[in-house]
Amino acid sequence: MSDWVRVCTTSELLPGESKVAWDGDTPILVVNYDGDYYALEDRCSHEDFELSAGEFDGEEATIECVLHGSKFDVRDGRALNAPAYAPVVKFPVKVEGDAVWTRDDR
């Protein structure tokens, strides 16, 4: 298990916004959904393509892969429509002071 990786400050990740952090070779997409922070592997489970290239819907809590249109719930990583059926890996997030942190805990 790796150490926590600093993503940004809370003021740099407002509701409806997202940022990508790297934990070694793992890209992690961190989103602010209505004041809560969630982290997913920045990789579509259907095809190895970065989810961060897609649109984060801050009202529906979804991210859409621009390659084939699969949507994922950012809160738990589950796939919401075909062609993706497998969930995206979810990672822990913590806020300490004004900093947002995540890590690849696999």
Side-chain angles (χ1 to χ4, degrees), residues 12-64:
E12 293 173 310
L13 190 57
L14 301 175
E17 294 182 342
S18 64
K19 285 202 179 287
V20 175
W22 288 84
D23 189 350
D25 292 338
T26 305
I28 302 175
L29 175 66
V30 180
V31 300
N32 180 335
Y33 170 61
D34 202 24
D36 292 317
Y37 300 93
Y38 300 93
L40 302 173
E41 186 167 14
D42 189 18
R43 209 172 266 138
C44 179
S45 63
H46 167 250
E47 195 148 325
D48 187 10
F49 196 79
E50 62 270 5
L51 289 175
S52 58
E55 187 174 330
F56 169 52
D57 185 329
E59 292 184 12
E60 297 292 321
T62 60
I63 187 86
E64 181 175 354

Side-chain angles (χ1 to χ4, degrees), residues 60-75:
E60 297 292 321
T62 60
I63 187 86
E64 181 175 354
C65 179
V66 296
L67 204 55
H68 295 112
S70 288
K71 289 186 180 181
F72 299 89
D73 189 313
V74 299
R75 296 167 290 191

Side-chain angles (χ1 to χ4, degrees), residues 6-11 37 93-101:
R6 186 178 185 278
V7 179
C8 62
T9 64
T10 53
S11 63
Y37 300 93
V93 178
K94 70 177 180 178
V95 176
E96 282 187 351
D98 69 344
V100 180
W101 299 78

